[in-house]
Amino acid sequence: MVMGLGSTAKKIQGLSDRAEAMYKQVQQLQQRIKNLEGEVDDTHDTVERIDHQLSEQRQLLLALAEEQGIDGEQILAEAAIDEAELDDEESTATDDTATDTVDTEPSETTAE
């Protein structure tokens, strides 16, 4: 009977060791998640700061353009149209390539 208790104790010790290792892994994962959350927050702050600076620069450029007698808003509108047309052309080219690869229509045969 003493043998049975010894093997049971070994099994319990093995389970305890594995549980402790898993607990350490969970703690490491929690720390990694906290670090990632911090990095995401930092990245968000950076993006907001850059977005604000970009907005300020846009206003400055529009003011300089107006001072030089240039319609900056018109230039931006034309650039947006050109970009939209390029995006549309790329999208159409991608769609054409996708539909040209497989012909799903069965061919008609006539029985005589």
Side-chain angles (χ1 to χ4, degrees):
M1 186 91 181
V2 175
M3 284 289 256
L5 290 177
S7 68
T8 301
K10 281 185 177 182
K11 289 179 182 178
I12 290 173
Q13 183 62 44
L15 286 172
S16 174
D17 292 345
R18 282 186 264 165
E20 187 176 335
M22 289 177 68
Y23 179 74
K24 287 180 182 178
Q25 286 179 336
V26 167
Q27 285 180 319
Q28 289 172 347
L29 286 172
Q30 286 176 331
Q31 188 59 46
R32 288 178 64 191
I33 289 170
K34 285 179 185 177
N35 292 341
L36 285 172
E37 287 174 340
E39 289 177 22
V40 167
D41 289 343
D42 290 346
T43 301
H44 179 265
D45 293 344
T46 300
V47 168
E48 282 195 347
R49 189 173 53 255
I50 290 171
D51 188 46
H52 180 73
Q53 290 172 349
L54 181 61
S55 180
E56 288 175 339
Q57 290 174 2
R58 178 185 174 129
Q59 293 303 316
L60 178 62
L61 288 172
L62 287 173
L64 289 171
E66 184 178 337
E67 201 174 90
Q68 295 296 318
I70 300 170
D71 187 354
E73 292 293 342
Q74 181 181 356
I75 292 171
L76 291 173
E78 289 172 1
I81 291 169
D82 291 344
E83 185 176 339
E85 287 174 349
L86 282 175
D87 288 346
D88 188 43
E89 287 173 8
E90 289 174 1
S91 175
T92 302
T94 303
D95 291 346
D96 289 345
T97 303
T99 56
D100 288 346
T101 57
V102 178
D103 184 14
T104 57
E105 293 294 318
S107 58
E108 290 186 27
T109 56
T110 56
E112 290 185 40

